[in-house]
Amino acid sequence: MKRPILIHPDPRLKKVCAPVADISDDLRKLADDMLETMYDAPGIGLAAPQVGVLERLIVLDCVKEEGEPPKPTVMFNPEIVSASEETNTYEEGCLSIPEQFAEVTRPKEVEVSWIDRDGKLQKQGFDGLWATCVQHEIDHLNGKLFIDYLGAMKRQMITRKMQKLKREKARM
Ligand SMILES: [Zn+2]
């Protein structure tokens, strides 16, 4: 089931989310709903607070090559274990900040630990787009958006555009 995606500014997008205690069927269903919502958008990552659930859960799939099989990835309680000194700059966007993009510099490689949908602890290194995406999504769990990396002027400009977009949507 697809879920509505919250649009910035929304107080729920600024909250620090609570760790997941154990992986229940309800949480697995939420993860499936989030994957469906993400693929439909379409996007390459989605965090639970973006659908109004303040728990530490993210989903991602950064496979871009045509013909390559999809790689739906579900992470409960994801944590960055280590990050490279070398950085990478990507033009980022966010499903909660539609049609706005800006360059953000982050560590090029990160090692992440998480609990998978079967409740097993996983640990894996990521680089390239996967590394940027997983950092962007974990930021969401700490109430941080990619526009928080930008200067105040640019951030305010984007926020005003989003407020206008929300007003227009509310009138429809
Ligand atoms: Zn985002």
Side-chain angles (χ1 to χ4, degrees), residues 50 93-96 136-137 140:
Q50 292 181 277
C94 180
L95 294 177
S96 292
H136 174 122
E137 301 310 329
H140 273 297

Side-chain angles (χ1 to χ4, degrees), residues 12 34 40 43 59 80-81 84 98 119 125 128 131-132 134 139 147 154 157 165:
R12 287 167 287 181
M34 284 170 57
D40 180 75
V59 300
I80 292 168
V81 183
S84 64
T132 287
V134 76
D139 273 352
I147 56 170
K154 186 97 199 275
M157 192 186 78
L165 177 75

Side-chain angles (χ1 to χ4, degrees), residues 13 45-47 50 92-97 106 133 136-137 139-140 144-146:
L13 294 173
L46 189 68
Q50 292 181 277
E92 294 191 22
C94 180
L95 294 177
S96 292
I97 311 174
R106 302 180 186 269
C133 184
H136 174 122
E137 301 310 329
D139 273 352
H140 273 297
K144 191 165 186 179
L145 302 171
F146 83 90

Side-chain angles (χ1 to χ4, degrees), residues 4 56 64 76 82 93 134 146 148 162 171:
R56 302 188 81 82
K64 278 225 150 162
F76 295 97
S82 64
V134 76
F146 83 90
D148 294 326
M162 291 301 104
R171 273 201 298 268

